[in-house]
């Protein structure tokens, strides 16, 4: 716009002075290689104004231009980079800064974990955005942080990183004498006189004992016991608190009832023993019992779709898909990864998914999406030696199947008492939605399929 105004004024000046032709270079701000704004000796400019170039130069000074570039880092030299909390998932708004993996002065590489954030479901790493040296830690361990919160500052060059002072300097540093001794030495007073004066002051003004605050006597009903040395207090992790809250909410919400049955594992164990080597050779994964129970649960859910449904207010939502959750115990707590579309998988695909999700859960690298959803849960307490238990429903699902250890017991088969590998199974369900008849039929279907896996091939 400025160029247009100048050109119009030059054109009007040109007409008033009847100048045939005036040449002037392109007008540019000073500092870009063009110092002269108008040609020297221009009669038109002198007629228009006594000092045109000074005025135009003042208008076009470089400080009036808006800089087009902006630094992406926090320091003037572009050396410092902020490490912030990443996005943690759709349903997670904050987390607890569990611990720092690096200290100020440590060297880090790009995408190297410098801290761990504990959420209600998983543990998330905070990665370094650049390679450099940790300059300082902004947040503290145990604080609640949100996505985008700055927790550390990284120096790409390593300059300005605080270094700890050597302990020898602290020892050699001499402390100045007290001011009382300086004054006494300046006045010529000896140390003996000074000590005698202090002794008289102590005699004349003896120190008064500090008034003790009145303490309330202990209640007789609550005896004060000395703390035991073997006790220690450890704060609960966010995952443990979340699991406790969900389990208690499940007890307060559902009308839970548990139905039991027992399964003869002879045929499934024989199937596994006969084909385990060929199965590993072809699919690269071992054949376990979980894939057989997942296929049996899929068949039972298809026979009893109400077990796969859920109550939503005054409505019942029937789901035509089957996503089975597998409960996995980890050192940090219980997690429940989901096998999507279990009804469309074969034994090998189920085993591969179980192994992958179990390894991620144990290592703490499982994501939120891999645990979200799920229509039915299977919990295998038998791997820990559990003989019988009553599992708790995983909200918002309506039922959960509990597997237990395999124990050889005497059973009557064909009129004869023979040893059989037996397993107790338990179904805990929401009695508001599922009646006892459906629950019993569901367990009977699992029993029939596990005891005779040929039913899965014939769909009978």
């Amino acid at each position: 716009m400025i160029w247009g105004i100048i050109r119009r004024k030059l054109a009007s000046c040109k007409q008033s002075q009847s100048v045939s032709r005036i040449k002037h270079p392109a007008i540019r701000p000073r500092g870009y290689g063009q110092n002269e704004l108008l040609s020297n000796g221009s009669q038109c400019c002198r007629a228009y104004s006594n000092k045109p170039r000074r005025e135009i130069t003042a208008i076009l000074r470089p400080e009036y231009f808006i800089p087009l570039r902006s630094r992406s880092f926090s320091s003037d030299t572009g050396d410092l980079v902020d490490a912030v909390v990443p996005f943690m998932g759709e349903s997670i708004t904050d987390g607890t800064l569990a611990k720092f993996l690096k200290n100020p002065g440590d060297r880090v590489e790009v995408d190297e974990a410098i801290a761990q954030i504990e959420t209600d479901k998983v543990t998330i790493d905070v990665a370094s955005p650049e390679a450099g040296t940790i300059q300082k830690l902004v947040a503290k361990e145990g604080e609640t942080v949100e996505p985008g919160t700055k927790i550390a500052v990284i120096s790409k060059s390593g300059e300005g990183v605080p270094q700890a002072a050597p302990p020898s300097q602290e020892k050699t540093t001499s402390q100045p004498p007290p001011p009382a001794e300086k004054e006494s030495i300046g006045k010529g007073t000896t140390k003996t006189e000074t000590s005698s004066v202090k002794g008289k002051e102590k005699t004349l003004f003896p120190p008064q004992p500090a008034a003790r605050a009145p303490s309330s006597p202990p209640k007789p009903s609550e005896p004060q016991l000395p703390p035991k040395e073997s006790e220690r207090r450890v704060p609960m992790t966010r995952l443990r608190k979340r699991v406790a809250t969900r389990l208690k909410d499940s007890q307060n919400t559902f009308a839970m009832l548990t139905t039991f049955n027992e399964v003869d594992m002879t045929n499934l164990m024989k199937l596994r023993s006969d084909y385990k080597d060929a199965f590993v050779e072809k699919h690269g994964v071992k054949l376990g019992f979980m894939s057989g129970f997942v296929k049996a649960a899929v068949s039972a859910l298809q026979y009893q779709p109400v077990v796969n449904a859920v109550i939503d207010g005054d409505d019942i939502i029937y789901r035509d898909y089957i996503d089975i959750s597998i409960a996995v115990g980890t050192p940090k707590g219980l997690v429940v990864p989901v096998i999507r579309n279990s009804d469309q998988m074969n034994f090998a695909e189920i085993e591969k998914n179980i192994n992958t999700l179990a390894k991620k859960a144990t290592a703490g690298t499982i994501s939120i999406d891999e645990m979200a959803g799920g229509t039915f849960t299977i919990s295998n307490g038998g791997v820990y030696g559990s003989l019988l238990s009553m599992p708790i429903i995983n909200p918002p699902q309506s039922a959960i199947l509990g597997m237990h250890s395999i124990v050889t017991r005497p059973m009557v088969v064909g009129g004869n008492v023979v040893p059989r590998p037996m397993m107790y199974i338990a179904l805990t369900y929401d009695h508001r939605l599922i009646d006892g008849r459906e629950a019993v039929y569901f367990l009977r279907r699992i029993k029939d399929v596990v005891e005779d896996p040929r039913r899965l091939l014939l769909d009978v």
Side-chain angles (χ1 to χ4, degrees), residues 147-162:
T149 303
K150 181 172 67 174
I151 65 170
V153 178
I154 300 173
S155 174
K156 295 192 293 184
S157 63
E159 297 178 357
V161 178

Side-chain angles (χ1 to χ4, degrees), residues 17-199:
Q17 296 294 330
S18 301
V19 181
S20 61
R21 187 177 183 182
I22 299 177
K23 295 181 179 180
H24 61 280
I27 301 175
R28 298 179 182 177
R30 184 164 39 186
Y32 285 83
Q34 187 68 31
N35 295 327
E36 294 297 327
L37 300 175
L38 296 175
S39 59
N40 296 329
S42 174
Q43 300 296 330
C44 172
C45 291
R46 283 196 293 269
Y48 171 70
S49 175
N50 293 330
K51 300 177 180 180
R53 285 185 293 177
R54 184 177 302 171
E55 295 178 1
I56 298 173
T57 305
I59 295 174
L60 303 177
R61 281 160 55 186
E63 54 265 26
Y64 288 96
F65 289 91
I66 301 174
L68 299 179
R69 295 181 180 179
S70 60
R71 296 184 177 91
S72 58
F73 305 108
S74 58
S75 65
D76 295 335
T77 60
D79 179 61
L80 302 182
V81 186
D82 295 337
V84 299
V85 178
F87 176 72
M88 297 181 288
E90 295 291 342
S91 59
I92 300 178
T93 57
D94 58 13
T96 301
L97 181 56
K99 63 178 179 178
F100 280 102
L101 305 178
K102 299 291 182 179
N103 297 320
D106 292 348
R107 177 72 183 178
V108 293
E109 301 298 333
V110 180
D111 295 334
E112 184 178 359
I114 62 177
Q116 288 184 342
I117 307 295
E118 283 189 355
T119 66
D120 298 340
K121 299 180 179 179
V122 294
T123 300
I124 299 174
D125 292 335
V126 179
S128 174
E130 296 286 346
T133 305
I134 302 292
Q135 187 187 55
K136 62 178 179 179
L137 303 178
V138 180
K140 297 181 180 179
E141 294 183 356
E143 289 185 353
T144 300
V145 294
E146 300 178 353
T149 303
K150 181 172 67 174
I151 65 170
V153 178
I154 300 173
S155 174
K156 295 192 293 184
S157 63
E159 297 178 357
V161 178
Q163 299 293 336
S168 59
Q169 296 181 0
E170 299 177 358
K171 294 181 180 180
T172 57
T173 305
S174 59
Q175 297 182 356
E181 294 184 8
K182 287 185 177 180
E183 294 178 0
S184 62
I185 295 173
K187 294 179 181 180
T189 307
T190 61
K191 295 182 179 180
T192 306
E193 295 175 355
T194 305
S195 60
S196 61
V197 172
K198 291 181 179 179

Side-chain angles (χ1 to χ4, degrees), residues 295-434:
K295 294 294 290 184
V298 168
S299 178
L301 290 172
Q302 291 173 343
Y303 271 72
Q304 300 294 330
V306 68
V307 182
N308 201 44
V310 65
I311 295 177
D312 185 15
D314 296 332
D315 301 327
I316 299 175
I317 300 177
Y318 289 90
R319 293 171 287 200
D320 297 331
Y321 59 93
I322 299 176
D323 294 343
I324 294 185
S325 305
I326 305 295
V328 179
T330 66
K332 295 183 179 180
L334 183 68
V335 295
V336 192
V338 181
I339 303 177
R340 311 286 179 187
N341 300 319
S342 303
D343 53 328
Q344 302 176 12
M345 294 184 180
N346 55 25
F347 281 79
E349 292 172 340
I350 293 175
E351 290 290 350
K352 290 178 181 178
N353 277 270
I354 292 176
N355 290 341
T356 301
L357 294 174
K359 290 179 180 179
K360 288 184 177 181
T362 304
T365 59
I366 192 169
S367 64
I368 300 297
D369 296 336
E370 291 173 325
M371 295 190 298
T375 61
F376 183 77
T377 299
I378 298 178
S379 176
N380 186 9
V383 295
Y384 307 111
S386 173
L387 179 64
L388 196 62
S389 65
M390 299 171 60
I392 299 178
I393 299 174
N394 179 27
Q397 301 172 11
S398 298
I400 179 173
L401 176 67
M403 299 169 53
H404 300 90
S405 59
I406 302 174
V407 179
T408 302
R409 299 199 302 270
M411 303 296 295
V412 178
V413 179
N416 299 320
V417 178
V418 295
R420 290 286 187 174
M422 304 298 295
M423 173 193 289
Y424 288 117
I425 57 175
L427 178 69
T428 300
Y429 54 96
D430 186 3
H431 207 354
R432 302 176 304 167
L433 175 64
I434 305 170

